[in-house]
C-alpha cells in the first residue's frame, strides 16, 4: 500500500472532524460545511477500501491519490483558519467563506471524473472482502463467548438457546457471498458523529426496536476513520447484555478511562492528561437494558464520550439517534444479499414474489436477514407458501420463528405483567394503520383496570422501549389533553410477535381472538369450532362488506368478551348477530376504512349491551335515535369520528338524557355535515367533557348550553365558521378548560367570562381575538393561556392580576394528520 493511500484517509478523517465542528458552531459556514461533509463522506468508503486492501497501487494511481491528498490538505488548512477566525472580523469571514466555496467546487470537480472508481482494481476487492468476512466471523464468536460467559450452568437451557441464536447469526454473517450488512447506515453514522463531535464529551444514545441494526451501526462507528482519528484510536466496545456482571464491566470501563489496571475508582482529577489537554476517549456500551446499568457504567470525566446502544430510550432525546428502518431499495438489496448472495433478484426468479416477501419485513434488517437466509435455495413454490404465512403474521418456517421471533421476544422480558399484556393488545389492530390513542387507553382502562394516567404512562413506556411509535404531538401529556386525534403506529414485525404470542393453543381458549389481516369472511377455523364458547376477552374482526348471509355460518358465542373491534371497508355493513350475546361487552370500536361513509344495519342488537361503557364510531352514518331506542345506561364515553351525523341527535320528542343517562364524554370530530350543534345535546346534563372539533361547517352553539352544569372541558377547536360563543357559556360553574384554537372567525370572548371562577386553561391559538373582556381579570383560577405571539399583549393586565398565570405565546401550527388516514 502506498504512503499516499494512508495519508489520504487520515487527512480526509481530520478534515471531516473539523467540518463537523464548523457545521455545529460557525453558523456563517454551516451550509457549505454540510455540503462538504456529504462530498467527503461519499469518497470515504473508497479511500478506506484502498487503504486497507494491502495491495500496492500502480504509479499513475499513486499520482491521482497524491492529487486528492493535496486537495484535502489544503482543505484542512482552510478549516483551521475558519475555526480560529474571530466573529467581529466580517471581511475575513467573507473571504474564508469564498475560499470554502472554491474548495467545494474543487472537490466536486475531482469527483466528477471517474478516477476513484477506476482505482478500485479487482485485486483489491477479493482481499478486502476476505478481511471483512473474517472480521464478521470473529465478532460473531466474540458475541457468542460474551453470551455464554454471562450465563450460569443449569440455567434451564439458556446456554443452548444462546448457542442456537449465535449459530444462526454466524450462519448469516459468514456467508461467502455477503459483501456488507451496513446497508442504509450512512445517515445514522453522520448524525451520531455530528452529535459526538459537536459536544466533545457526554452521554449519547443509539436507540431502536430489536433487530433494527443498532449494534451494526455502533460497530460501523467503532471502525469509522473519522471516529478513530477524533478519539486517536482510544475506543472501548463493551457488550453489557440483559444480565450483566456490572462490577466486572465497571472495572473494565474505569481501567480503560484511567489507565490504571486493577485499581478501585478514583476521583476524576487523578486522570492523566497529555500536554495539558484532556484526552478524548470513547466508550461504546452495546445492548444496555436498564437505566441502573447505564448509571453504573458511566463516569463524568472530562473528554469521555459514552455511546449507549439500547432498545429503550435511556439518554436525553436531543442526544439520542433513533435508528430508522431501511428504505425500500435498501431493504430489497439486503434481502437479496441474504437470499441469493447478490444485491438483486437473479434472472429467471419472480421479481414480484421476492419484492412481496421482502415487503413483509417492513425494512427491519434482522427480519430481512433471517427471512432471506431461511428461503435461500428454496423453490418458488416454497416462497409462495412463505408469503402466505408471513401475510398472516405467522413464521415463514421453523428456523424463521427461532431466529427472529424468539430474538424479538427478548424485548418483552423486562416488562411488568400489565405492560406486557398491553403490548399484546396492540396485535388486535390492522397492520399499517394508525391506532387512535384514545381507543387504546379506553381499552386498557376497562380490561386491565388501569386509571387513565397509568394507562397513558404505559403507552409512553412502550414508546420509550421502541415497542410502538407514539406520534409527536405537543398535546401529549399536557393537562386536559385529548387523544382521539393522536395516533400510535407499530412495526409489523412487532405486531407479528404479538400475534405469535397470542395465537398459542386452541382457538377457543385464546384470550385474544384476532384476524391478522383483512379477509372476505371470518376464518374457517372459527366456524369449525363454533360448537363451543370462545374464551376471548378481546375479539378483533377485519373484513369487507358483510351481510346476513356472510354471518350465517358463524353462530359464535363470546361469553367473556369485553372488547370488540370491527374493521371493514364498505359503504354498508351488517353488524354481527353474535353481538347480542356479548353480555359483558364494555368497549365497542367500529371503524370503516373505506372511502365513503358506511350505513350500519341491525343497530337494534345494542339492546342487550347493558354493560357497554365506550363506543367509537368512525366513518359511518350515525343511526337515527327514536323514542324506542333502548337506553345505554352504562355508556360513559362516545366518539363519533369522520361520521355523518344527519339528524341523529335532533329528533323531535327524543330525550337524549334518557337514552344516555350517564354519558360524561362526547366527542364529535371531523363531521362535515354538522352545521348547528343540536340543542338536545344540552339535555345530557351528566356531560363532563364535550369536544366538537374539526367541523368546518359548524356555525353556532345552542343557547341552552348553560344546562351542562357538570361540564368541565369544552373543546371547539378547528371550527372556522364558528363566529361567536353564546353568553350562556359563562354560566358553566365547573368549566376548567376552554379550547377555541383554530376558530378563525371567532374574534371575541364573552364579556362576562370572568364569571368562570373554575377556569384554569384557555387555548386560543390561531384565533383573531384582539380584545379581551375587562372581566377576564377576575379569572382567579386561570393558570395557563396559549395564544399566538401577536395577541399575547391582551393578557398582560390579567397576568399582573392573577398570581401564577402563564401566558404561552406560540408560532402558528396547523395539524393535518387526519388527511393521512
Amino acid at each position: 500500500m502506498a504512503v499516499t493511500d494512508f495519508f489520504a484517509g487520515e487527512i480526509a478523517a481530520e478534515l471531516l472532524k473539523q467540518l463537523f465542528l464548523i457545521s455545529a458552531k460557525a453558523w456563517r459556514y454551516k451550509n457549505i460545511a454540510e455540503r462538504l461533509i456529504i462530498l467527503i463522506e461519499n469518497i470515504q468508503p473508497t479511500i478506506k477500501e484502498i487503504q486497507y486492501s494491502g495491495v500496492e497501487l500502480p504509479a499513475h494511481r499513486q499520482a491521482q491519490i497524491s492529487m486528492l491528498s493535496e486537495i484535502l490538505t489544503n482543505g484542512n488548512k482552510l478549516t483551521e483558519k475558519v475555526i480560529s477566525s474571530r466573529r467581529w472580523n466580517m471581511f475575513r469571514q467573507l473571504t474564508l467563506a469564498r475560499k470554502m466555496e472554491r474548495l467545494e467546487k474543487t472537490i466536486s470537480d475531482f469527483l466528477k471524473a471517474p478516477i476513484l472508481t477506476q482505482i478500485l482494481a479487482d485485486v483489491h476487492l477479493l482481499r478486502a472482502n476476505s478481511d471483512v468476512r473474517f472480521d464478521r466471523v470473529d465478532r460473531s464468536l466474540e458475541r457468542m463467548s460474551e453470551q455464554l460467559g454471562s450465563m450460569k450452568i443449569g440455567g434451564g437451557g439458556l446456554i443452548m438457546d444462546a448457542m442456537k441464536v449465535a449459530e444462526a447469526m454466524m450462519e448469516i454473517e459468514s456467508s461467502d457471498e455477503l459483501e456488507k450488512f451496513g446497508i442504509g447506515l450512512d445517515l445514522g453514522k453522520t448524525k451520531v458523529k455530528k452529535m459526538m463531535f459537536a459536544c466533545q464529551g457526554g452521554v449519547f444514545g443509539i436507540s431502536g426496536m430489536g433487530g433494527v441494526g443498532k449494534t451494526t451501526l455502533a460497530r460501523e462507528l467503532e471502525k469509522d476513520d473519522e471516529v478513530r482519528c477524533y478519539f486517536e484510536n482510544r475506543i472501548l466496545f463493551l457488550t453489557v447484555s440483559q444480565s450483566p456482571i456490572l462490577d466486572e464491566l465497571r472495572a473494565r470501563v474505569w481501567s480503560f478511562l484511567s489507565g490504571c489496571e486493577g485499581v478501585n475508582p478514583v476521583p476524576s482529577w487523578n486522570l492523566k492528561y497529555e500536554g495539558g489537554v484532556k484526552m478524548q476517549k470513547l466508550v461504546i456500551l452495546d445492548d444496555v437494558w436498564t437505566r441502573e446499568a447505564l448509571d453504573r457504567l458511566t463516569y463524568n470525566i472530562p473528554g469521555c464520550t459514552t455511546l449507549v446502544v439500547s432498545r429503550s430510550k435511556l439518554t436525553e432525546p436531543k442526544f439520542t439517534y433513533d435508528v430508522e428502518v431501511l428504505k425500500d431499495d435498501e431493504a430489497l438489496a439486503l434481502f437479496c444479499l441474504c437470499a441469493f448472495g447478490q444485491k438483486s433478484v437473479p434472472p429467471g426468479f419472480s421479481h414480484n414474489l421476492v419484492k412481496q416477501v421482502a415487503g413483509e419485513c417492513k425494512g427491519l434488517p434482522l427480519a430481512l436477514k433471517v427471512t432471506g437466509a431461511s428461503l435461500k435455495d428454496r423453490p418458488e413454490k416454497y416462497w409462495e407458501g412463505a408469503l402466505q404465512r408471513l401475510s398472516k403474521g405467522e413464521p415463514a418456517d421453523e428456523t424463521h420463528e427461532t431466529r427472529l421471533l424468539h430474538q424479538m421476544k427478548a424485548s418483552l422480558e423486562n416488562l411488568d405483567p400489565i405492560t406486557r399484556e398491553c403490548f399484546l393488545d396492540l396485535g388486535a389492530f390492522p397492520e399499517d394503520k394508525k391506532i387512535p390513542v384514545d381507543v387504546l387507553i379506553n381499552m386498557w382502562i376497562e380490561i386491565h383496570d388501569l386509571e387513565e394516567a397509568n394507562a397513558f404512562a404505559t403507552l409512553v413506556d412502550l414508546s420509550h422501549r421502541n415497542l410502538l411509535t407514539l406520534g409527536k404531538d405537543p398535546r401529549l401529556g399536557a393537562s386536559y389533553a385529548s387523544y382521539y386525534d393522536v395516533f400510535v403506529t407499530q412495526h409489523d414485525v412487532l405486531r407479528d410477535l404479538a400475534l405469535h404470542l397470542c395465537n398459542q393453543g386452541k382457538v377457543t381458549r385464546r384470550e385474544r381472538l384476532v384476524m391478522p389481516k383483512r379477509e372476505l369472511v371470518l376464518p374457517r377455523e372459527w366456524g369449525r369450532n363454533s360448537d363451543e364458547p370462545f374464551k376471548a376477552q378481546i375479539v378483533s374482526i377485519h373484513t369487507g362488506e358483510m351481510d346476513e348471509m356472510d354471518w350465517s355460518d358463524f353462530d359464535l358465542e363470546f361469553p367473556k368478551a369485553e372488547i370488540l373491534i370491527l374493521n371493514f371497508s364498505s359503504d354498508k355493513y351488517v353488524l354481527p348477530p353474535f353481538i347480542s350475546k356479548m353480555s359483558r361487552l364494555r368497549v365497542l370500536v367500529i371503524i370503516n376504512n373505506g372511502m365513503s361513509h358506511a350505513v350500519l344495519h341491525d343497530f337494534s342488537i345494542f339492546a342487550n349491551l347493558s354493560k357497554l361503557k365506550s363506543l367509537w364510531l368512525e366513518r359511518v352514518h350515525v343511526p337515527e335515535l327514536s323514542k324506542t331506542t333502548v337506553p345505554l345506561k352504562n355508556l360513559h364515553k362516545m366518539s363519533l369520528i369522520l361520521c355523518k351525523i344527519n339528524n341523529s341527535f335532533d329528533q323531535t320528542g327524543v330525550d337524549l338524557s334518557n337514552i344516555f343517562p350517564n354519558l360524561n364524554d362526547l366527542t364529535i370530530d371531523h363531521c362535515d355535515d354538522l352545521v348547528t350543534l343540536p340543542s338536545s345535546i344540552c339535555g345530557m346534563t351528566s356531560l363532563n367533557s364535550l369536544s366538537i372539533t374539526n367541523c368546518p361547517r359548524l356555525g353556532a352553539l345552542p343557547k341552552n348550553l348553560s344546562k351542562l352544569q357538570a361540564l368541565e372541558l369544552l373543546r371547539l377547536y378547528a371550527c372556522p365558521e364558528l363566529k361567536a360563543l353564546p353568553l350562556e357559556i359563562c354560566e358553566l360553574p365547573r368549566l376548567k378548560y376552554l379550547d377555541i384554537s383554530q376558530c378563525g372567525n371567532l374574534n371575541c370572548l364573552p364579556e362576562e367570562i370572568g364569571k368562570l371562577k373554575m377556569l384554569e386553561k384557555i387555548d386560543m391559538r390561531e384565533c383573531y381575538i384582539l380584545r379581551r373582556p375587562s372581566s377576564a381579570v377576575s379569572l382567579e383560577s386561570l393558570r395557563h393561556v396559549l395564544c399566538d405571539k401577536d395577541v399575547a399583549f391582551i393578557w398582560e393586565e390579567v397576568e399582573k392580576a392573577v398570581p401564577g398565570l402563564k401566558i404561552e405565546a406560540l408560532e402558528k401550527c396547523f395539524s393535518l394528520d387526519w388527511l393521512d388516514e
Side-chain angles (χ1 to χ4, degrees), residues 248-313:
E248 292 182 7
L249 293 172
R250 183 175 170 84
R252 289 185 64 184
V253 174
W254 177 254
S255 173
F256 169 72
L257 293 176
S258 65
C260 303
E261 292 286 347
V263 179
N264 290 327
V266 293
S268 59
W269 48 264
N270 281 341
L271 286 176
K272 299 178 181 179
Y273 292 90
E274 295 179 355
V277 180
K278 61 186 178 226
M279 289 188 293
Q280 297 285 346
K281 292 188 176 184
L282 173 63
V283 178
I284 301 176
L285 301 175
D286 184 38
D287 199 22
V288 181
W289 284 77
T290 64
R291 181 73 205 189
E292 177 190 4
L294 175 59
D295 291 341
R296 291 283 305 278
L297 298 174
T298 51
Y299 293 88
N300 186 19
I301 296 175
C304 172
T305 297
T306 304
L307 184 60
V308 183
V309 183
S310 176
R311 298 189 183 199
S312 303
K313 294 178 174 68

Side-chain angles (χ1 to χ4, degrees), residues 453-696:
N454 289 335
F456 179 76
T458 299
L459 189 80
V460 173
D461 187 30
L462 289 170
S463 174
H464 283 171
R465 294 172 183 270
N466 292 296
L467 294 173
L468 59 78
T469 302
L470 188 56
K472 294 181 180 179
D473 193 290
R475 291 166 293 172
L476 281 172
S479 59
Y480 307 122
S482 59
Y483 305 125
Y484 52 84
D485 56 350
V486 180
F487 304 90
V488 302
T489 56
Q490 185 179 45
H491 193 280
D492 282 357
V493 173
L494 286 172
R495 179 177 181 267
D496 291 346
L497 174 62
L499 291 174
H500 176 69
L501 296 175
C502 291
N503 290 343
Q504 308 296 317
K506 189 177 179 181
V507 66
T508 56
R509 298 184 180 277
R510 297 172 187 167
E511 292 184 359
R512 299 168 183 83
L513 191 65
V514 177
M515 291 180 63
K517 68 171 187 174
R518 181 174 177 267
E519 303 280 2
L520 295 177
V521 295
L522 299 190
R524 285 178 290 179
E525 184 183 19
W526 295 14
R528 285 197 301 268
N529 289 274
S530 61
D531 56 336
E532 63 177 291
F534 288 75
K535 294 186 177 181
Q537 288 181 291
I538 298 178
V539 180
S540 177
I541 296 173
H542 193 189
T543 64
E545 178 182 327
M546 297 290 283
D547 57 27
E548 291 87 349
M549 290 298 297
D550 294 323
W551 295 116
S552 61
D553 294 332
F554 297 93
D555 184 18
L556 309 177
E557 292 187 21
F558 297 99
K560 294 187 176 183
E562 297 181 42
I563 313 287
L564 176 60
I565 302 172
L566 299 174
N567 272 279
F568 62 92
S569 301
S570 175
D571 56 3
K572 59 182 178 179
Y573 187 79
V574 174
L575 293 171
F578 50 74
I579 289 183
S580 61
K581 294 185 284 185
M582 291 181 162
S583 59
R584 298 177 62 175
L585 195 65
R586 299 162 79 177
V587 177
L588 176 58
V589 179
I590 302 177
I591 298 177
N592 172 24
N593 296 305
M595 297 300 294
S596 58
H597 295 80
V599 176
L600 299 177
H601 295 278
D602 204 10
F603 225 78
S604 60
I605 60 177
F606 274 54
N608 295 330
L609 303 183
S610 60
K611 294 187 177 181
L612 189 66
K613 289 188 175 182
S614 176
L615 174 63
W616 177 286
L617 299 179
E618 183 171 333
R619 204 177 270 110
V620 300
H621 288 272
V622 179
E624 292 187 359
L625 305 174
S626 67
K627 294 179 181 180
T628 60
T629 301
V630 177
L632 295 172
K633 295 182 179 181
N634 281 309
L635 189 66
H636 290 170
K637 189 166 189 174
M638 181 162 60
S639 302
L640 310 176
I641 313 296
L642 289 161
C643 289
K644 292 293 185 183
I645 299 294
N646 306 313
N647 297 316
S648 303
F649 295 123
D650 208 17
Q651 297 294 309
T652 304
V654 173
D655 185 356
L656 293 182
S657 63
N658 182 51
I659 298 175
F660 307 110
N662 293 302
L663 190 70
N664 57 35
D665 190 328
L666 174 62
T667 294
I668 301 176
D669 181 63
H670 285 106
C671 296
D672 58 12
D673 67 338
L674 184 66
V675 177
T676 303
L677 188 65
S679 59
S680 57
I681 286 180
C682 298
M684 295 187 286
T685 55
S686 59
L687 277 180
N688 173 270
S689 173
L690 177 61
S691 301
I692 313 295
T693 58
N694 294 294
C695 295

Side-chain angles (χ1 to χ4, degrees), residues 9-252:
E10 294 299 314
I11 295 168
E14 183 63 27
L15 178 56
L16 266 177
K17 182 177 73 172
Q18 297 193 142
L19 286 171
F20 276 119
L21 290 175
I22 292 172
S23 174
K25 295 184 177 181
W27 62 270
R28 290 183 181 277
Y29 309 93
K30 181 180 179 65
N31 292 336
I32 303 174
E34 289 182 347
R35 292 197 298 269
L36 280 166
I37 287 170
I38 294 172
L39 284 173
I40 295 172
E41 285 191 332
N42 283 338
I43 65 174
Q44 277 293 91
T46 303
I47 293 176
K48 282 195 292 185
E49 189 166 359
I50 296 169
Q51 182 176 346
Y52 295 119
S53 66
V55 178
E56 186 72 21
L57 289 172
H60 69 287
R61 296 300 187 205
Q62 298 229 17
Q64 292 166 342
I65 288 292
S66 297
M67 186 191 310
L68 175 60
S69 295
E70 185 178 351
I71 294 172
L72 296 178
T73 300
N74 291 335
N76 260 328
K77 293 177 182 177
L78 177 60
T79 53
E80 288 173 1
K81 292 178 181 178
V82 170
I83 292 172
S84 61
S85 66
R86 297 180 180 179
R87 293 185 177 181
W88 54 265
N89 193 335
M90 299 301 295
F91 177 77
R92 180 168 175 78
Q93 288 204 21
L94 181 61
T95 301
L96 291 173
R98 288 174 176 170
K99 289 184 177 180
M100 290 273 286
E101 290 174 350
R102 285 201 293 272
L103 174 63
E104 178 189 3
K105 185 177 186 305
T106 301
I107 295 176
S108 178
D109 290 343
F110 184 87
L111 295 180
K112 285 179 182 177
I115 296 174
L116 288 177
T117 303
Q118 296 165 1
I119 291 175
L120 291 177
D122 292 341
V123 290
H124 293 179
L125 187 60
L126 178 60
R127 192 161 297 175
N129 281 348
S130 298
D131 290 343
V132 171
R133 287 198 300 274
F134 284 124
D135 185 47
R136 286 201 188 99
V137 175
D138 288 342
R139 292 204 306 271
S140 298
L141 288 170
E142 180 185 341
R143 283 202 301 274
M144 183 170 67
S145 175
E146 289 171 348
Q147 290 182 28
L148 294 175
S150 65
M151 298 181 181
K152 297 180 180 179
I153 304 251
L158 291 177
I159 292 179
M160 291 302 297
D161 289 344
M163 290 180 67
K164 288 178 181 177
V165 172
E167 287 170 2
M169 296 308 296
M170 282 181 61
E171 180 182 333
I172 297 172
E173 294 187 355
S174 61
S175 172
D176 289 340
E177 299 298 327
L178 303 190
E179 299 174 13
K180 182 180 179 184
F181 279 141
I183 293 174
L185 296 179
D186 291 343
L187 177 63
K189 285 172 61 178
T190 300
K191 290 187 175 181
V192 176
K193 286 188 291 186
K194 189 172 183 179
M195 285 193 302
M196 293 193 302
F197 295 166
C199 295
Q200 299 182 351
V203 181
F204 303 88
I206 295 176
S207 171
M209 61 180 286
V212 79
K214 304 180 296 298
T215 298
T216 305
L217 175 57
R219 287 290 187 183
E220 290 291 316
L221 285 163
E222 180 193 17
K223 298 185 300 180
D224 187 84
D225 281 350
E226 298 104 79
V227 174
R228 301 195 74 85
C229 179
Y230 182 83
F231 293 102
E232 298 182 14
N233 290 318
R234 290 188 285 261
I235 301 174
L236 174 66
F237 192 105
L238 281 181
T239 300
V240 179
S241 80
Q242 195 170 357
S243 302
I245 304 175
L246 290 175
D247 289 339
E248 292 182 7
L249 293 172
R250 183 175 170 84
R252 289 185 64 184

